[in-house]
Structures are given as C-alpha cells and as structure tokens.
Amino acid sequence: MVQGQQEKVSRSLAGTVSEEISASLAPVDAELERRYPGDPGTRQPVHTVYVPGDTFTAGTVRSWGDRALAALDEHAPDAASLAAVLGLPGDLAEPVHARVRAKLEREPIEDLRIDFEDGYGPRPDAEEDETAARAARLVAEAYANGTAAPYMGVRVKCMEAAVRDRGIRTLDIFLTGLLDRGGLPGGLVLTLPKVTYPEQVTAMVRLLEAFEKAHGLDAGRIGFEIQIETSQAILAADGTATVARMIQAAEGRATGLHYGTFDYSACLGVSAAYQASDHPAADHAKAVMQVAAAGTGVRVSDGSTNVLPVGPTGKVHDAWRLHYGLTRRALARAYYQGWDMHPGHLPTRYAAVFAFYREGFRQAAERLARYANHAGGDVMDEPATAKALSGYLLRGLDCGALDDAEVAGATGLGRADLEGFAAPRRGDLTAAGQ
C-alpha cells in the first residue's frame, strides 16, 4: 500500500446480524453480571481468630496482642533472631520484624469470630442465651469505643436438625442485641458451619430475610460465610460441585468460603497425625472452592494448624516454622486468609504476610508503573495482569505490609488508581486481553 493511501474497508454482513446475536445473548449477559460480579473491592482480613463464646471479653483483642508480643520478645526479640527462625532474607529481616511488632501493638486481630459451635459446645439454653446477649453487648461497646477488630461476628451452630433451633436462637439474640445498642456494625461477619446441602444455605437466607423484615433493614444487609467441612460440600451425590450450588443458593449474601481443616479431614478418614492444610485432600477441596468462587465476589479462606507455639523456645520455633510455611504456601496459592487458633500464631501470621508482600513489592510496582505508562519492558503485561498486580499492592496496603507513600512513590499511582486497575469492567478485560 502506498504510504498515506486510505485502506478500502469492505463488509459482508448486515447490521441486523450483530443485533440479532446481541439479542440472543442478552440473557447470558445478564446471567454473567448476576453470577459473576467480580471481587467486591473491600478489604479481606488476612486471618480469622476464633474465641469460644464463654471466654470472649472486652479485653480479648488487646490480650491476644499482648500475649503475641510477649511470645515475640521471649523467642525472637530482634530482627536477626526472627530471620534465623523463619529463614527471612537479610533485607527483609528488619522491616518485617518492625512491622510485626507495630501490627501487634496497633491491630493484633483483623477478624474475630465469637464461637458458639465446636469451640463452645452444648450448654443449657439459659446459659447460651446469656452468653449470646453478652457477646452482642461487648461487640457493640467495642465498636463504639474504638477497641473492636475491623471485622467481628459469631459462628453459630449449624442447620442440622439436632442443633438447628439453638443456632437460630443464638443468632437472633446476638443480632437483636446489636440493634438494641445502636445497629449492626459495618464489620459484622457471620459464619454458618458444617454446611452439607445448598438447602441449608437457603434456610440461612430465609432466616436473615425474616430478621431484616422484622427490623425494617435493607434487604440483603446481612451476609454470611459458608464453612466447608464435609465431603458432600465439595462433591454431591450426583457428581456436581455442591459448593458452586451453595454460592448460588446464598442469593448474593455469601461473603466467604472457609475451609475447615480438621472436620473435613476427619470426614475423609484422614488420621489425626496427617490432618493438615497441606494434605492432598485439603488441596483438592480448596481448589474446588477456589474455582467455584472465582468471579463471584465470594472470598476463599484456608483453615488452621492445631500445632500451638507453646513451651520451650525450641518447640515454639518448630511450631512457628510450620505455621509460617503453611501461611506462605497458602498465599502463593491465592488463599489470602486463614484461621489462627492461638496468640502465638500471630507473629508468624504477620511475618509470613508481610514477607510475601514486601519481597515482591518492587517488581510488582515497577511492572504496574510500566503498564500504566505504556512503557516497554521484559514482560508483556495485559489488563488481567495489571488487575493482579494492583490487587497484590492493595492487599499489602490493607494489612500494613506496605505504606501508601512507598507504593505511590514506586508506581506513581494513588489508591484510587490501583482500585481502578484492580476492578476493571468485564468488557475491558475481554476486549484488551484476547
């Protein structure tokens, strides 16, 4: 073609063809928007701490932080000692240790669940009623006086026949108590355990609908997590992935899928010595959960380890290495949340999370900056990668691994810019990332 010559453009199809195709796919377009709205863009806590209902007090959050600091001071009092235990690179030792201490002082728990299920057990009705009412009062007071964890709520008994009424009653008392004391906090989280059939999720939806109607709340105001602890929750009798049907049964109220390490392992017959979050059975369950939840806005959480960092220093160090390794393993697999069962787990939870985000910070920031500025480089990135890079940086900011100033300095982008890259419209991804 001669330079400057305009190319001839020819078409064969009438405009009605595109219109007819679009009309035929309109139901699919609507279904995609309904079922796969994408990540909500809100903060996801890096962990959930479970505390039995009868042991939860107004000082629980601060107590866990103080006990975690004491463990750190006793068993890894400086950056070099923590690095030696966990195998941290030299350039990460000081910033990770300093940030762990700061986190334990400022915000030791990101998500706290007051447990009325396995951690609480069967009690006389009057006792559980009083404990639930007390939990509501303490949570309301914590949010009012600024001592609450960012996310707080309860895990009630499941929807199985033997304990169903008790779970409903406890949830009613807890939620009513919050409303009596000023309303439902923004960080409220509820957990429904031992879900086996989608119909149990539907029952939870109907329960919350009835509560919202009784109090004039906006429809859909109250969401909940689904705990995956049975084999039937992963694979139904007809061979389908039950967990995918559970997400749909939640009718937009599901906020998370939480893997229950020990109940699920026991359900499959895994012996106690091998029940762990890195067992092949656990990997399979979480992979199915992850695929089922992808694009739905429902977050996936890993389970816990029951190996506690207590006793002499050598034993604590062994437990810390185990917990750190499991946490890092989960993060690499995109399970950004897990459970912590003891204050001694907090130092290694935050050490693992902070090391994960800080060690990849520079590369992620540089790649995103090149993408944002349409600059070349040795990696060809596209919108889907920019989404992952910005999501990585936002998660690092939310938990305290990274600071706003250093991210802005390295990328030239503010938080609003990062959020724009992290949540592109569906059409932007498909059109640009062929």
Side-chain angles (χ1 to χ4, degrees), residues 64-253:
W64 272 59
D66 291 342
R67 291 168 65 188
L69 283 166
L72 189 65
D73 288 339
E74 180 177 358
H75 304 294
D78 52 42
S81 57
L82 184 66
V85 174
L86 303 181
L88 294 172
D91 61 330
L92 286 180
E94 187 59 45
V96 166
H97 188 270
R99 286 172 186 269
V100 168
R101 283 201 63 88
K103 181 74 169 182
L104 295 176
E105 292 168 352
R106 182 187 75 255
E107 188 182 76
I109 295 176
E110 292 197 358
D111 183 27
L112 188 144
R113 205 70 69 253
I114 305 163
D115 192 17
F116 288 90
E117 203 232 355
D118 285 349
Y120 184 75
R123 306 288 180 100
D125 280 340
E127 181 179 346
E128 184 160 340
D129 286 352
E130 184 177 357
T131 305
R134 174 175 165 273
R137 174 177 60 81
L138 292 175
V139 169
E141 290 174 355
Y143 276 105
N145 63 29
T147 61
Y151 299 91
M152 297 183 77
V154 293
R155 178 172 73 168
V156 296
K157 292 176 174 64
C158 68
M159 284 292 180
E160 293 178 357
V163 295
R164 183 184 303 137
D165 289 346
R166 182 63 260 182
I168 292 172
R169 180 165 164 166
T170 297
L171 185 59
D172 184 12
I173 292 170
F174 178 74
L175 293 177
T176 302
L178 289 176
L179 285 177
D180 289 346
R181 291 169 175 80
L184 303 181
L188 175 68
V189 189
L190 309 177
T191 305
L192 180 65
K194 293 184 175 60
V195 183
T196 304
Y197 283 81
E199 290 81 359
Q200 294 167 328
V201 175
T202 299
M204 183 69 163
V205 172
R206 300 288 90 83
L207 172 62
L208 296 177
E209 283 178 344
F211 188 88
E212 289 166 350
K213 183 177 290 187
H215 291 279
L217 300 174
D218 292 341
R221 163 64 181 85
I222 309 173
F224 61 97
E225 302 164 338
I226 301 169
Q227 202 156 6
I228 305 300
E229 302 178 271
T230 67
S231 61
Q232 297 90 343
I234 295 298
L235 189 69
D238 63 359
T240 60
T242 317
V243 65
R245 294 166 56 205
M246 289 176 177
I247 292 173
Q248 297 309 312
E251 300 176 19
R253 292 179 186 265

